[in-house]
């Protein structure tokens, strides 16, 4: 089984190809470029380096959200385009699950933290049993205070990773009451290799969809939509005052 993995859900852009238990190639960049500039050229480069005919892949695994709204749309559009062109299924891998899978086999509870702005984080809680990912708390969008409270109540050691670590590091140090650590640099951001490898498991379980059916999972409204709703609510409140 050969899986193409794509991840553009955060600051990182990443492309990988996994064949059964082998990572054939991976290209990951975390540097001042928009994913619309990088994702397809990276795919082209990986395909050339490993002499890959895209028609030979079995499925396309995409980090399907949550994450950056723009990044998710770019990744989704890329996966859907390839799916339509190659007539291949899409494997929608939850972004936070894939991020946790970077630390497969870790002895401690795993807590990915993605910065969702406004003191919010895209997060979840996981552990591993003989390299199997066990979901303790499904990916969600919550305040950093809520996830730290949950971790404290569970009372077990935890390891953090993700672009939210530097954002919430001070809060963690001040409020966490259990032993904790942070993942090293080569494991602490999104990697398409993890998306593709987890995609292999999902494919074997029948968890895939058509390119037409695929859509990102945002978990919350975009900032633009939230601001529009806030403006509408203020306008409605103003009308009530005018009537009274």
């Amino acid at each position: 089984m050969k899986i193409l993995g794509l991840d553009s859900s955060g600051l990182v852009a990443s492309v990988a190809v996994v064949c059964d238990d082998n990572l054939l190639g991976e290209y990951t960049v975390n540097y001042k470029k928009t994913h619309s500039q990088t994702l397809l050229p990276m795919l082209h480069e990986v395909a050339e380096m490993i002499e890959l005919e895209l028609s030979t892949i079995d499925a396309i695994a995409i980090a399907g959200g949550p994450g950056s709204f723009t990044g998710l749309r770019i990744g989704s559009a890329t996966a859907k385009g390839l799916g339509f062109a190659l007539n291949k299924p899409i494997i929608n891998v939850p972004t936070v699950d894939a991020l946790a899978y970077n630390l497969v086999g870790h002895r401690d509870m795993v807590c990915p933290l993605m910065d969702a702005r406004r003191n919010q984080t895209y997060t979840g809680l996981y552990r591993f049993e003989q390299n199997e990912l066990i979901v303790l708390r499904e990916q969600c969008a919550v305040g950093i205070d809520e996830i730290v409270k949950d971790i404290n109540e569970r009372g077990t050691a935890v390891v953090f990773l993700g672009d939210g670590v530097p954002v919430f590091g001070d809060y963690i140090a001040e409020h966490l009451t259990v032993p904790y650590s942070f993942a090293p640099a080569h494991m602490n951001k999104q990697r398409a290799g993890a998306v593709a490898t987890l995609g292999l498991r999902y494919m074997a379980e029948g968890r895939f969809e058509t390119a037409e059916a695929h859509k990102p999972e945002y978990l919350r409204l975009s900032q633009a939509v939230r601001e529009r709703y806030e403006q509408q609510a203020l306008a409605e409140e103003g009308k009530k005052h005018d009537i009274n």
Side-chain angles (χ1 to χ4, degrees):
M1 185 74 68
K2 190 181 295 181
I3 304 294
L4 169 65
L6 303 172
D7 195 328
S8 59
S9 60
L11 299 175
V12 171
S14 188
V15 176
V17 179
V18 168
C19 184
D20 296 328
D21 291 328
N22 294 313
L23 176 62
L24 300 182
E26 185 176 40
Y27 192 161
T28 300
V29 173
N30 181 21
Y31 187 79
K32 297 181 181 178
K33 296 284 187 181
T34 64
H35 298 326
S36 59
Q37 292 176 298
T38 58
L39 206 58
L40 283 175
M42 288 164 62
L43 172 57
H44 177 73
E45 185 74 16
V46 168
E48 281 203 339
M49 289 295 290
I50 65 174
E51 299 179 347
L52 172 71
E53 289 287 342
L54 285 176
S55 60
T56 65
I57 66 172
D58 294 289
I60 302 147
I62 177 71
S68 157
F69 286 82
T70 301
L72 290 176
R73 284 193 290 268
I74 291 168
S76 177
T78 302
K80 286 170 74 74
L82 290 168
F84 278 121
L86 301 171
N87 193 28
K88 303 295 182 181
I90 306 293
I91 309 167
N92 190 338
V93 179
T95 301
V96 183
D97 292 19
L99 190 51
Y101 205 66
N102 283 355
L103 300 182
V104 61
H106 202 286
R107 65 183 180 182
D108 294 338
M109 185 167 63
V110 177
C111 180
L113 294 173
M114 295 174 64
D115 183 16
R117 312 295 182 186
R118 297 188 175 188
N119 233 25
Q120 296 273 306
T121 177
Y122 298 125
T123 187
L125 294 173
Y126 307 83
R127 63 182 171 84
F128 291 96
E129 290 184 0
Q130 297 181 341
N131 293 341
E132 290 294 325
L133 180 68
I134 308 299
V135 180
L136 303 176
R137 177 170 182 165
E138 290 188 356
Q139 65 175 20
C140 53
V142 298
I144 185 61
D145 56 337
E146 181 176 330
I147 196 66
V148 166
K149 180 175 182 289
D150 190 342
I151 293 168
N152 284 337
E153 289 174 350
R154 293 174 189 268
T156 60
V158 63
V159 56
F160 295 99
L161 73 161
D163 61 33
V165 166
V167 178
F168 303 117
D170 288 344
Y171 187 93
I172 289 168
E174 291 173 12
H175 295 88
L176 204 66
T177 59
V178 300
Y180 67 92
S181 60
F182 300 109
H186 66 294
M187 298 169 130
N188 69 6
K189 299 292 191 303
Q190 286 91 333
R191 290 185 58 182
V195 174
T197 305
L198 203 49
L200 274 170
R201 295 176 182 267
Y202 289 175
M203 187 73 177
E205 295 169 3
R207 296 168 59 181
F208 54 87
E209 59 194 359
T210 64
E212 184 178 9
H214 172 70
K215 59 182 180 180
E217 298 174 6
Y218 297 112
L219 286 191
R220 67 174 193 169
L221 300 173
S222 70
Q223 181 176 345
V225 174
R226 290 198 307 271
E227 289 176 351
R228 185 167 72 246
Y229 284 165
E230 288 169 4
Q231 290 169 358
Q232 289 172 350
L234 288 172
E236 289 297 325
E237 190 66 25
K239 287 180 183 178
K240 290 179 183 177
H241 285 302
D242 290 341
I243 291 171
N244 294 334

